[in-house]
Amino acid sequence: LSLTLINSAQVCSADFYSSDVLMEKVGNAGVITLNRPKVLNALNLPMIRHIYPQLKKWEKDDETDLVIIKGAGGKAFCAGGDIRAVTEAGKVGDPLAQDFFREEYILNHAIGTCKKPYIALIDGITMGGGVGLSVHGRFRVATEKTLFAMPETAIGLFPDVGGGYFLPRLEGKLGLFLALTGFRLKGRDVQRAGVASHFVEAQKIPALEKELVHLKSPSAEDVSRLLDSYQSQSGLDAEKPFVLKEHLADINRLFSSSSVEGILQNLKADGSPFAKKQAETLSKMSPISLKITYKQLQAGASLSLQDVLVMEYRLSQACMVKRGCDFYEGVRALLIDKDQSPKWNPSSLEEISDQSVEECFSSLGQKDLRF
C-alpha cells in the first residue's frame, strides 16, 4: 500500500486527477470521486491531502456553486479509513498514526463548516471514515444500497470522525445504541434514523447529479427542494417500517444508564430476545472501547463539532500509543488474521478504572489538534 505523501500544492486549478481520488469541475459543481473501488474506497492520507485543499479552494471560488462527493465502483461510498496502514504505522511509531487522524479530523471539520452546499451521495457501504466524509455535510443522500455503521468498538477503537457530535444528536438513545453495538442500518432506514437527509433510489442518482451540477448559484433551499422532489419520486421500501421502530422505546429505556455496566444490567434483566441479542453483541466488544465511547458521547452531546474533534484526536492518540492497546488486537483479529477472536485487555468492564478512561481524554498539550 503506497503511503506516498502528496504535497497539497500539486492540486491544480483545472480538473485534478489522482488515481485514488478524482476531482473535477462539472457544470457549476466541484465533484469529488473516491476512486479505490477494489478496497471499497477506503480513505488514506494522500486522498485526505488532495481533498482538503481542493474543498477550501472551491469554497472560495465564485464559479463553483456546490460540492458533490461520491464513491466509484457501485459497491461503496467509503467503507472507512485505511486502518491497516495506520495500525502498521502505529506499531513502529511512524508519524502516520498522528498525521492520518489529525488531517482526517481537520477535513471533517471543513466539511461541517463548508459555506457552499455540500452533497454526499452515500450510495453503498458507508462506515467509519466514510461517515466522516458525509455526515457533517448539509445534505446526505442514501439509496437502497446504503449500508451505514460505526463498528469501531469491535476493533478496539471508538466511533470517531465526529461520532461524538452527530450520534448523541440522533433521536433518544439511538446514537448511543448505534455507537456501542455497531448496529447496521440499510437503505431508507439510514434516513429514518437521521443519518442521511434524503433517500433517493439508486437508479435516479445519475439524473439527480446531472440536475445538481447545473443549478445556478443555488441556495441551500434550492438544493433541498431538488432533493425533496427526487425523494418524493422514490417509493422503494416506503411501506416497510423503520427496522428499529418497535424497539425504539426499549432502546431509550435500556440504554438509559449512568454507565456501560448499567446498560448491560438493564439488557440482562429485561430478558427479551432483542435485549439478549444486544447484551451478546456488547459482550464481544472491547471493554475499554465501550467505556471510552460512552463517555465520548456523553461529553459530545454539549460540545461543538470542533471541540468534539479535539477530544477525539486525544482519544485516537491514546488508542495508538498505548502498547498492548485493544486497537492493535482488534485489527489483528478482525482484519488481518480474521480469526474473529480478539483477546481484549482488560477483558472485562469491571477491571477498568475510571482513572484509566479519564486518562484517554487528557490534553496532549502542544500536540493537541488545532484548527
Side-chain angles (χ1 to χ4, degrees), residues 49-64:
R49 289 183 168 174
H50 283 313
I51 295 167
Y52 178 79
Q54 189 62 54
L55 178 61
K56 285 300 198 184
K57 194 169 186 180
W58 280 334
E59 195 176 14
K60 293 189 183 89
D61 176 26
D62 292 339
E63 305 292 304
T64 306

Side-chain angles (χ1 to χ4, degrees), residues 173-204:
K173 295 289 176 184
L174 180 59
L176 181 62
F177 166 76
L178 295 172
L180 295 176
T181 65
F183 187 89
R184 296 177 168 204
L185 292 170
K186 296 173 185 171
R188 199 179 275 275
D189 287 338
V190 181
Q191 190 226 352
R192 287 172 170 147
V195 175
S197 62
H198 291 81
F199 174 84
V200 175
E201 289 165 13
Q203 64 177 23
K204 294 182 167 63

Side-chain angles (χ1 to χ4, degrees), residues 90-166:
K91 281 181 185 168
V92 296
D94 185 308
L96 173 69
Q98 296 160 26
D99 296 345
F100 178 84
F101 289 102
R102 183 189 302 111
E103 296 183 42
E104 182 184 27
Y105 295 178
I106 288 170
L107 174 57
N108 298 153
H109 182 256
I111 289 166
T113 55
C114 185
K115 293 179 180 71
K116 302 264 171 89
Y118 181 97
I119 303 116
L121 303 175
I122 54 171
D123 182 26
I125 301 165
T126 304
M127 295 186 185
V131 176
L133 292 176
S134 56
V135 78
H136 305 299
R138 182 71 181 263
F139 303 104
R140 294 92 55 202
V141 183
T143 75
E144 69 275 15
K145 295 195 288 179
T146 304
L147 174 63
F148 161 90
M150 295 297 276
E152 288 81 4
T153 56
I155 57 162
L157 207 55
F158 58 95
D160 67 332
V161 297
Y165 181 79
F166 83 88

Side-chain angles (χ1 to χ4, degrees), residues 1-3 18-22 33-48 70-85 100:
L1 181 66
S2 168
L3 287 163
S18 147
S19 59
D20 285 354
V21 58
L22 318 178
T33 306
L34 309 172
N35 190 39
R36 301 180 73 204
K38 287 182 180 170
V39 289
L40 302 176
N41 299 322
L43 183 67
N44 62 26
L45 188 56
M47 292 164 77
I48 293 165
K70 60 182 180 173
K75 284 188 180 174
F77 168 67
C78 171
D82 200 336
I83 289 295
R84 287 183 73 157
F100 178 84

Side-chain angles (χ1 to χ4, degrees), residues 315-357:
L315 295 175
S316 77
Q317 295 313 294
C319 290
M320 291 300 113
V321 286
K322 288 188 179 172
R323 285 290 158 258
C325 167
D326 276 353
F327 173 61
Y328 298 104
E329 173 61 9
V331 171
R332 179 206 66 74
L334 275 82
L335 302 180
I336 297 171
D337 298 342
K338 298 185 179 175
D339 58 29
Q340 312 298 318
S341 300
K343 305 282 183 285
W344 303 128
N345 182 23
S347 62
S348 72
L349 292 164
E350 291 69 32
E351 292 173 72
I352 300 162
S353 68
D354 290 345
Q355 189 190 346
S356 64
V357 175

Side-chain angles (χ1 to χ4, degrees), residues 232-281:
S232 67
Q233 299 161 40
S234 298
L236 189 68
D237 296 334
E239 73 297 335
K240 280 189 186 173
F242 178 41
V243 68
L244 291 169
K245 188 179 182 210
E246 63 182 284
H247 301 300
L248 284 174
D250 295 329
I251 288 169
N252 290 339
R253 177 172 53 84
L254 299 168
F255 282 75
S256 288
S257 177
S258 57
S259 67
V260 180
E261 293 94 325
I263 291 169
L264 266 168
Q265 282 169 359
N266 290 347
L267 291 168
K268 285 170 182 168
D270 182 88
S272 66
F274 176 76
K276 276 183 182 165
K277 192 172 182 186
Q278 306 324 312
E280 191 185 324
T281 298

